[in-house]
Amino acid sequence: MGGIQSRKKGSKIIWIASGVLAGFLPPLQTAINGELRVATGSLLGAAFISFFVGTILLLVLLLITQRRIHIPLYDAQKNRIPVWTYMGGIFGVFIVTGNIILLPVLGSVLTTMVFLLG
């Protein structure tokens, strides 16, 4: 029984470390996107470039891991997937663009904290 507990504890540490790693990325992304806004002179252009680069990375990862791009219309139980479940990217536009807008006013860390608080 002790072996199972130590394995569970060990795997939690990996997940916690992964969460901490992922947690430091939003302020970094905010700072980078803020610099991109200054460099391009465009709020929406900076947001677009940010999403475009992310899309290219996801495309490459999908092709490497799954060798295809498939957007399913039906779930595993053959039920039609509701259209609204595909709309999460719309929130991403507001999140990234909001970060770019707030960065010059609040700074990277406070902008991230405000978003997390929300």
Side-chain angles (χ1 to χ4, degrees):
M1 183 78 167
I4 293 173
Q5 288 295 339
S6 66
R7 265 190 271 142
K8 281 185 180 180
K9 189 175 185 177
S11 67
K12 279 188 180 181
I13 290 171
I14 292 170
W15 287 111
I16 289 169
S18 297
V20 169
L21 175 67
F24 95 87
L25 294 176
L28 185 61
Q29 179 190 32
T30 299
I32 290 170
N33 285 342
E35 287 296 316
L36 186 58
R37 175 190 185 181
V38 171
T40 62
S42 172
L43 167 69
L44 294 177
F48 173 79
I49 292 167
S50 179
F51 276 101
F52 182 74
V53 170
T55 299
I56 296 301
L57 176 62
L58 285 171
L59 176 67
V60 168
L61 291 172
L62 268 173
L63 292 175
I64 289 170
T65 61
Q66 298 181 10
R67 304 212 192 293
R68 66 187 177 112
I69 296 173
H70 173 69
I71 300 172
L73 300 176
Y74 297 91
D75 64 18
Q77 290 76 35
K78 305 292 184 215
N79 297 316
R80 183 113 170 116
I81 298 173
V83 173
W84 64 266
T85 61
Y86 295 102
M87 304 297 174
I90 292 171
F91 296 123
V93 169
F94 287 103
I95 292 166
V96 169
T97 306
N99 273 311
I100 294 171
I101 291 169
L102 293 176
L103 175 74
V105 179
L106 301 179
S108 182
V109 174
L110 187 54
T111 296
T112 301
M113 290 173 59
V114 167
F115 268 79
L116 291 174
L117 181 64

